[in-house]
Amino acid sequence: MSSANLDAYDLSQVPLDGEINEDVLQQLIRVNEWDNPILAMAGSRSTGNPYYSWTNRDYAAPILDNQRVDGADASGNDTRNGIRVGNHSQILDKVLRVSTRGRSVNTIGYADSLALQISERGTELMRDKEAQFASNNASVEATDTVAGVSAGIMAWLNNRNIQNDADTGVIASVASSNPSTDGGWVNRTGNTVPGRTYTGTVPGAVTEKALKDACQAIYLQGGNPDCLVTVPELQRKMSEYFFTSGARIGTLESKIPQESRSGATAMGRVNVWVSDFQILTLKSSRNMQVTDAATSSDSIMILDPSQLRTTTLTGLRVEALAKTGTADNRQMSWDGGFQVDCWAKCGAIVDVDRTADMVAG
């Protein structure tokens, strides 16, 4: 320690693991929109409990016979309750172990191997969150022997907002007795069980008709989604289809004057689709996984970002593990979950074969 001041070495020796902030962690909190578009578009909230809840509310259907006689007494009751729903938090982690020599040797392109590992594994943890938010994972309540699982977007959808022309199985809400189920949330257990069964399904090509049907179903339920998210292969299939003569869309035309001598940009994709009911921006997520591995069925999600949130019980953190030798050990962790405020305002096309060309349907 310098006799004149408190220096960096002194701070680094304060138990546990010093007082110097591993500043690369601050960069990990920023979500990369290109790598994790779903996380980037979602809102956020903090929770104080491993199980968190919110209220799903909707409007009554329009009626034609509620006229009243002038001066008549008020009667009836038009108040409506919402549905209280919830999801479980989950703990994700990455364990990092770097030897003392590994941190001390001269390296190419970076100064500290542990800092590099924190940065790279933090990026991987964000990719895990993106994949799980888009998943068909059922929610699981944590116990002393079972890890909690937060239900993903696909687990909340049901037969009101899923289009499945390729399906040979059954789409249905989960519950058929006792209090009913809406979406995948079972109001008698407090858990989310996927409202979609893949038994007997055979994936097929995505169709323009399926896209329009799903958009119409969401619109009729009060939804106004503005984003379509799927795996990169399917985004490419859709973009290529919209350039064909079979696409039932307005003709694509050049806006570059033919006499122009300046350079022109070759446009080889369609990234906005205007349907009868919504204007959708087409995005792909490289981290979105196959919806059902047993049948190789992919999905195309039609999302309203205002209905999506990530929840945080304990934010992203790096903590020192016990040092038992000549190595530094860290655990990076995040405790939180996902929230779909009103799943009726989102939807999906399921049972899609990512290798098949899009067709009109």
Side-chain angles (χ1 to χ4, degrees), residues 206 211 228-230 234 238 298-302 347-349 352:
V206 61
L211 288 175
L228 184 153
V229 183
T230 188
L234 286 175
M238 287 187 286
D298 282 294
S299 298
I300 298 171
M301 298 189 298
I302 301 170
I349 296 94
V352 179

Side-chain angles (χ1 to χ4, degrees), residues 7 28 37 65 89 133 157 270 275 295 309 313:
D7 55 33
L28 301 180
D65 59 352
S89 294
F133 199 174
L157 304 180
V270 174
S275 74
T295 60
R309 303 176 191 270
L313 182 59

Side-chain angles (χ1 to χ4, degrees), residues 128-139:
D128 294 344
K129 287 172 61 178
E130 170 88 359
Q132 292 174 29
F133 199 174
S135 74
N136 200 37
N137 285 352
S139 68

Side-chain angles (χ1 to χ4, degrees), residues 29-252:
I29 299 175
R30 294 179 359 194
V31 177
N32 186 321
E33 182 175 1
W34 291 101
D35 205 34
N36 305 294
I38 298 175
L39 291 181
M41 73 174 70
S44 62
R45 64 169 283 193
S46 297
T47 65
N49 195 297
Y51 183 79
Y52 52 94
S53 61
W54 63 96
T55 302
N56 186 336
R57 311 186 70 88
D58 63 0
Y59 297 101
I63 57 178
L64 300 175
D65 59 352
N66 62 338
Q67 297 83 4
R68 295 293 180 263
V69 175
D70 181 28
D73 291 339
S75 62
N77 182 2
D78 296 315
T79 57
R80 292 171 63 85
N81 287 326
I83 304 173
R84 184 174 177 177
V85 299
N87 207 351
H88 294 283
S89 294
Q90 59 186 21
I91 300 172
L92 305 182
D93 82 333
K94 300 287 182 182
V95 176
L96 318 174
R97 304 185 187 276
V98 180
S99 72
T100 302
R101 178 176 290 181
R103 297 191 66 182
S104 301
V105 297
N106 291 328
T107 52
I108 299 173
Y110 57 91
D112 188 331
S113 296
L114 180 58
L116 177 68
Q117 290 298 318
I118 291 173
S119 177
E120 291 182 340
R121 302 297 78 74
T123 298
E124 290 176 353
L125 194 145
M126 287 294 184
R127 289 160 63 96
D128 294 344
K129 287 172 61 178
E130 170 88 359
Q132 292 174 29
F133 199 174
S135 74
N136 200 37
N137 285 352
S139 68
V140 177
E141 182 178 3
T143 69
D144 57 350
T145 58
V146 176
V149 179
S150 196
I153 296 171
M154 291 300 299
W156 289 92
L157 304 180
N158 72 351
N159 57 323
R160 294 191 304 163
N161 45 6
I162 288 179
Q163 172 55 229
N164 67 315
D165 285 350
D167 177 43
T168 57
V170 178
I171 290 182
S173 295
V174 177
S176 58
S177 61
N178 298 324
S180 64
T181 293
D182 198 8
W185 186 77
V186 185
N187 58 12
R188 62 181 183 274
T189 68
N191 288 324
T192 305
V193 180
R196 176 76 179 86
T197 173
Y198 288 88
T199 303
T201 61
V202 178
V206 61
T207 68
E208 188 177 357
K209 178 181 182 301
L211 288 175
K212 290 186 174 183
D213 287 349
C215 287
Q216 179 176 328
I218 298 168
Y219 176 78
L220 291 174
Q221 294 174 131
N224 294 292
D226 62 13
C227 189
L228 184 153
V229 183
T230 188
V231 295
E233 294 91 336
L234 286 175
Q235 183 185 22
R236 177 178 174 179
K237 293 296 184 183
M238 287 187 286
S239 182
E240 290 175 344
Y241 167 76
F242 288 132
F243 276 97
T244 67
S245 59
R248 292 172 292 191
I249 60 175
T251 303
L252 295 169

Side-chain angles (χ1 to χ4, degrees), residues 208-324:
E208 188 177 357
K209 178 181 182 301
L211 288 175
K212 290 186 174 183
D213 287 349
C215 287
Q216 179 176 328
I218 298 168
Y219 176 78
L220 291 174
Q221 294 174 131
N224 294 292
D226 62 13
C227 189
L228 184 153
V229 183
T230 188
V231 295
E233 294 91 336
L234 286 175
Q235 183 185 22
R236 177 178 174 179
K237 293 296 184 183
M238 287 187 286
S239 182
E240 290 175 344
Y241 167 76
F242 288 132
F243 276 97
T244 67
S245 59
R248 292 172 292 191
I249 60 175
T251 303
L252 295 169
E253 59 183 33
S254 171
K255 293 184 178 180
I256 304 297
Q258 295 302 309
E259 67 275 10
S260 174
R261 295 179 179 273
S262 60
T265 300
M267 302 298 292
R269 67 166 182 166
V270 174
N271 61 350
V272 176
W273 179 56
V274 181
S275 74
D276 298 286
F277 306 99
Q278 288 99 20
I279 300 176
L280 299 174
T281 300
L282 278 61
K283 295 184 177 183
S284 62
S285 172
R286 59 169 61 99
N287 301 318
M288 186 174 169
Q289 303 298 297
V290 62
T291 305
D292 185 75
T295 60
S296 299
S297 295
D298 282 294
S299 298
I300 298 171
M301 298 189 298
I302 301 170
L303 303 175
D304 180 346
S306 69
Q307 304 302 313
L308 307 178
R309 303 176 191 270
T310 56
T311 62
T312 302
L313 182 59
T314 302
L316 188 64
R317 62 200 305 175
V318 176
E319 297 175 301
L321 298 176
K323 187 176 178 67
T324 59

